[in-house]
Coordinates of all heavy atoms in Angstrom, one line a residue:
S241 N -5.7 150.7 141.7 CA -6.6 151.7 141.2 C -6.1 152.3 139.8 O -6.9 152.8 139.0 CB -6.8 152.9 142.1 OG -5.5 153.5 142.5
N242 N -4.8 152.2 139.6 CA -4.2 152.8 138.4 C -4.0 151.8 137.3 O -3.2 152.0 136.3 CB -2.9 153.4 138.7 CG -1.8 152.4 139.2 OD1 -2.2 151.3 139.6 ND2 -0.6 152.8 139.2
I243 N -4.8 150.7 137.3 CA -4.6 149.6 136.3 C -5.1 150.1 135.0 O -6.2 150.8 134.9 CB -5.3 148.3 136.8 CG1 -4.7 147.1 136.2 CG2 -6.8 148.4 136.5 CD1 -3.4 146.7 136.8
P244 N -4.5 149.7 133.8 CA -5.0 150.1 132.5 C -6.4 149.6 132.3 O -6.8 148.5 132.7 CB -4.0 149.5 131.6 CG -2.7 149.4 132.3 CD -3.2 149.1 133.7
S245 N -7.2 150.4 131.6 CA -8.7 150.0 131.4 C -8.8 148.7 130.6 O -9.8 148.0 130.9 CB -9.4 151.2 130.7 OG -8.8 151.4 129.4
E246 N -7.9 148.4 129.7 CA -8.1 147.2 128.9 C -8.0 145.9 129.8 O -8.5 144.9 129.4 CB -7.1 147.1 127.7 CG -5.7 146.9 128.1 CD -4.9 148.2 128.3 OE1 -5.6 149.3 128.4 OE2 -3.7 148.2 128.2
M247 N -7.3 146.0 130.9 CA -7.1 144.9 131.8 C -8.4 144.7 132.6 O -8.5 143.6 133.3 CB -5.9 145.1 132.7 CG -4.6 145.1 131.9 SD -3.2 145.5 132.9 CE -3.0 144.0 133.9
L248 N -9.3 145.6 132.6 CA -10.6 145.5 133.3 C -11.7 145.2 132.4 O -12.7 144.7 132.8 CB -10.9 146.8 134.1 CG -9.8 147.2 135.2 CD1 -10.2 148.6 135.8 CD2 -9.8 146.1 136.3
G249 N -11.6 145.5 131.1 CA -12.7 145.4 130.2 C -12.8 144.2 129.4 O -13.7 144.0 128.6
E250 N -11.8 143.3 129.6 CA -11.8 142.0 128.8 C -11.4 140.8 129.7 O -10.7 141.0 130.7 CB -11.0 142.1 127.5 CG -9.5 142.3 127.8 CD -8.7 142.4 126.5 OE1 -9.3 142.1 125.4 OE2 -7.5 142.6 126.5
S251 N -11.8 139.7 129.3 CA -11.4 138.4 130.0 C -10.6 137.6 129.0 O -11.1 137.3 127.8 CB -12.6 137.7 130.5 OG -13.3 138.4 131.4
K252 N -9.5 137.1 129.4 CA -8.6 136.2 128.6 C -7.9 135.2 129.5 O -7.7 135.4 130.7 CB -7.6 137.0 127.9 CG -8.1 138.0 126.9 CD -8.6 137.4 125.6 CE -9.0 138.4 124.5 NZ -9.5 137.7 123.3
G253 N -7.6 134.1 128.9 CA -6.7 133.1 129.6 C -5.3 133.7 129.7 O -4.9 134.5 128.9
V254 N -4.7 133.3 130.7 CA -3.3 133.9 131.0 C -2.4 132.8 131.6 O -2.9 132.0 132.4 CB -3.4 135.0 132.0 CG1 -2.1 135.4 132.6 CG2 -4.1 136.3 131.4
F255 N -1.2 132.8 131.2 CA -0.1 132.0 131.8 C 0.9 132.9 132.4 O 1.4 133.8 131.8 CB 0.5 131.0 130.9 CG -0.3 129.7 130.7 CD1 -1.4 129.6 129.9 CD2 0.1 128.6 131.4 CE1 -2.1 128.5 129.8 CE2 -0.6 127.4 131.3 CZ -1.7 127.3 130.5
V256 N 1.3 132.6 133.7 CA 2.4 133.4 134.3 C 3.6 132.4 134.5 O 3.4 131.3 135.1 CB 1.9 133.9 135.7 CG1 3.1 134.6 136.4 CG2 0.8 134.9 135.5
T257 N 4.7 132.9 134.1 CA 5.9 132.0 134.1 C 6.9 132.7 135.0 O 7.2 133.9 134.9 CB 6.5 131.8 132.7 OG1 5.6 131.2 131.9 CG2 7.8 130.9 132.8
I258 N 7.5 132.0 135.9 CA 8.6 132.5 136.8 C 9.9 131.7 136.6 O 9.9 130.5 136.5 CB 8.1 132.3 138.3 CG1 6.8 133.0 138.6 CG2 9.2 132.9 139.3 CD1 6.2 132.6 139.9
R259 N 11.0 132.5 136.5 CA 12.3 131.9 136.3 C 13.2 132.5 137.4 O 13.1 133.6 137.8 CB 12.9 132.2 134.9 CG 12.1 131.4 133.8 CD 12.9 131.5 132.5 NE 12.2 130.7 131.5 CZ 12.4 129.4 131.3 NH1 13.3 128.8 132.0 NH2 11.7 128.8 130.4
Q260 N 14.1 131.6 137.8 CA 15.0 132.0 138.9 C 16.4 131.3 138.6 O 16.5 130.1 138.4 CB 14.5 131.6 140.3 CG 15.4 132.0 141.4 CD 14.8 131.6 142.8 OE1 13.9 130.8 142.8 NE2 15.4 132.0 143.8
N261 N 17.4 132.1 138.7 CA 18.8 131.6 138.4 C 18.9 130.8 137.1 O 19.5 129.8 137.0 CB 19.2 130.7 139.6 CG 19.4 131.5 140.9 OD1 19.8 132.7 140.9 ND2 19.0 130.9 142.0
G262 N 18.2 131.3 136.1 CA 18.3 130.7 134.8 C 17.4 129.5 134.6 O 17.5 128.9 133.5
A263 N 16.6 129.1 135.5 CA 15.8 127.9 135.4 C 14.3 128.2 135.7 O 14.0 129.2 136.4 CB 16.3 126.8 136.4
L264 N 13.5 127.4 135.2 CA 12.0 127.5 135.4 C 11.8 127.3 136.9 O 12.3 126.4 137.5 CB 11.3 126.5 134.6 CG 9.7 126.6 134.8 CD1 9.2 127.8 134.1 CD2 9.1 125.3 134.1
R265 N 10.9 128.2 137.5 CA 10.6 128.2 138.9 C 9.1 128.0 139.2 O 8.7 127.7 140.3 CB 11.1 129.4 139.6 CG 11.1 129.4 141.1 CD 12.0 128.4 141.7 NE 12.1 128.5 143.1 CZ 11.2 128.1 144.0 NH1 10.0 127.6 143.6 NH2 11.3 128.3 145.3
G266 N 8.3 128.2 138.1 CA 6.9 128.0 138.2 C 6.2 128.5 137.0 O 6.6 129.5 136.4
C267 N 5.2 127.8 136.5 CA 4.4 128.2 135.4 C 3.0 127.6 135.4 O 2.9 126.3 135.3 CB 5.1 127.8 134.1 SG 4.2 128.3 132.6
L268 N 2.0 128.4 135.7 CA 0.7 127.9 135.7 C -0.2 129.0 135.1 O 0.1 130.1 135.0 CB 0.2 127.6 137.1 CG 0.8 126.4 137.8 CD1 0.3 126.3 139.2 CD2 0.4 125.1 137.1
G269 N -1.4 128.5 134.6 CA -2.3 129.4 134.0 C -3.5 128.7 133.4 O -3.8 127.6 133.8
S270 N -4.2 129.4 132.5 CA -5.5 128.9 132.0 C -5.6 129.3 130.5 O -5.3 130.5 130.2 CB -6.7 129.3 132.8 OG -6.6 130.7 133.0
T271 N -6.0 128.4 129.6 CA -6.2 128.8 128.2 C -7.5 129.6 128.0 O -7.7 130.3 127.1 CB -6.1 127.6 127.3 OG1 -7.1 126.6 127.8 CG2 -4.8 127.0 127.3
K272 N -8.5 129.3 129.0 CA -9.8 130.0 128.9 C -9.9 130.8 130.2 O -9.5 130.4 131.3 CB -10.9 129.0 128.8 CG -10.9 128.2 127.5 CD -12.0 127.2 127.5 CE -11.9 126.3 126.2 NZ -13.0 125.3 126.2
P273 N -10.5 132.0 130.1 CA -10.6 132.9 131.3 C -11.5 132.2 132.4 O -12.5 131.6 132.1 CB -11.2 134.2 130.7 CG -11.9 133.8 129.5 CD -11.1 132.6 128.9
I274 N -11.0 132.4 133.6 CA -11.8 132.0 134.8 C -12.3 133.2 135.6 O -13.4 133.2 136.1 CB -10.9 131.0 135.6 CG1 -10.5 129.8 134.8 CG2 -11.7 130.6 136.9 CD1 -9.5 128.9 135.5
A275 N -11.4 134.2 135.7 CA -11.8 135.4 136.4 C -12.6 136.3 135.6 O -12.8 136.1 134.4 CB -10.5 136.1 136.9
K276 N -13.2 137.3 136.2 CA -14.1 138.2 135.5 C -13.4 139.2 134.6 O -14.0 139.8 133.7 CB -15.0 139.0 136.5 CG -14.2 139.9 137.5 CD -15.2 140.6 138.5 CE -14.4 141.5 139.4 NZ -15.4 142.1 140.4
N277 N -12.1 139.4 134.8 CA -11.4 140.3 134.0 C -9.9 139.9 133.9 O -9.5 139.0 134.7 CB -11.5 141.8 134.4 CG -11.1 142.0 135.8 OD1 -10.0 141.6 136.2 ND2 -11.9 142.7 136.6
L278 N -9.2 140.5 133.0 CA -7.8 140.1 132.8 C -6.9 140.4 134.0 O -6.0 139.6 134.3 CB -7.3 140.9 131.5 CG -5.9 140.5 131.0 CD1 -5.8 139.0 130.8 CD2 -5.6 141.3 129.7
A279 N -7.2 141.5 134.7 CA -6.4 141.8 135.9 C -6.5 140.7 136.9 O -5.5 140.3 137.5 CB -6.8 143.1 136.4
Q280 N -7.7 140.3 137.2 CA -7.9 139.2 138.2 C -7.3 137.9 137.7 O -6.8 137.1 138.5 CB -9.4 139.0 138.4 CG -10.0 140.1 139.3 CD -9.6 140.0 140.8 OE1 -8.8 139.2 141.1 NE2 -10.3 140.8 141.6
E281 N -7.4 137.7 136.4 CA -6.8 136.4 135.9 C -5.2 136.4 136.1 O -4.7 135.4 136.5 CB -7.0 136.4 134.4 CG -6.9 135.0 133.8 CD -8.1 134.1 134.0 OE1 -9.2 134.6 134.1 OE2 -7.9 132.9 134.1
I282 N -4.6 137.6 135.9 CA -3.2 137.7 136.1 C -2.8 137.5 137.6 O -1.9 136.7 138.0 CB -2.6 139.0 135.6 CG1 -2.7 139.1 134.1 CG2 -1.2 139.3 136.1 CD1 -2.4 140.5 133.5
I283 N -3.6 138.2 138.5 CA -3.3 138.1 139.9 C -3.5 136.6 140.4 O -2.6 136.1 141.1 CB -4.3 139.0 140.7 CG1 -4.0 140.5 140.4 CG2 -4.2 138.7 142.2 CD1 -5.0 141.4 140.9
T284 N -4.6 136.0 140.0 CA -4.8 134.6 140.4 C -3.7 133.6 139.9 O -3.2 132.8 140.7 CB -6.2 134.1 139.9 OG1 -7.2 135.0 140.5 CG2 -6.4 132.7 140.4
N285 N -3.4 133.7 138.6 CA -2.4 132.8 138.1 C -1.0 133.1 138.5 O -0.2 132.2 138.6 CB -2.6 132.8 136.6 CG -3.8 132.1 136.1 OD1 -4.4 131.3 136.8 ND2 -4.3 132.4 134.9

């Protein structure tokens, strides 16, 4: 409920990168938005 308004008011592609012990552990995302807003895009990716 306390998410910033800009994360609800726009749609953007997002990549989320995870590193562990100095190495890549996961990286997936989308260059074009799929979800209805940026918050959902971040959660999904």
Side-chain angles (χ1 to χ4, degrees):
S241 58
N242 61 343
I243 206 78
S245 58
E246 70 266 17
M247 296 173 71
L248 299 173
E250 62 179 356
S251 298
K252 295 286 183 183
V254 168
F255 274 80
V256 176
T257 302
I258 304 169
R259 292 189 174 274
Q260 183 181 9
N261 295 323
L264 184 66
R265 189 64 171 78
C267 181
L268 287 177
S270 50
T271 53
K272 297 177 182 179
I274 298 173
K276 62 182 180 180
N277 57 49
L278 187 52
Q280 285 287 8
E281 198 80 32
I282 292 172
I283 291 171
T284 299
N285 289 335

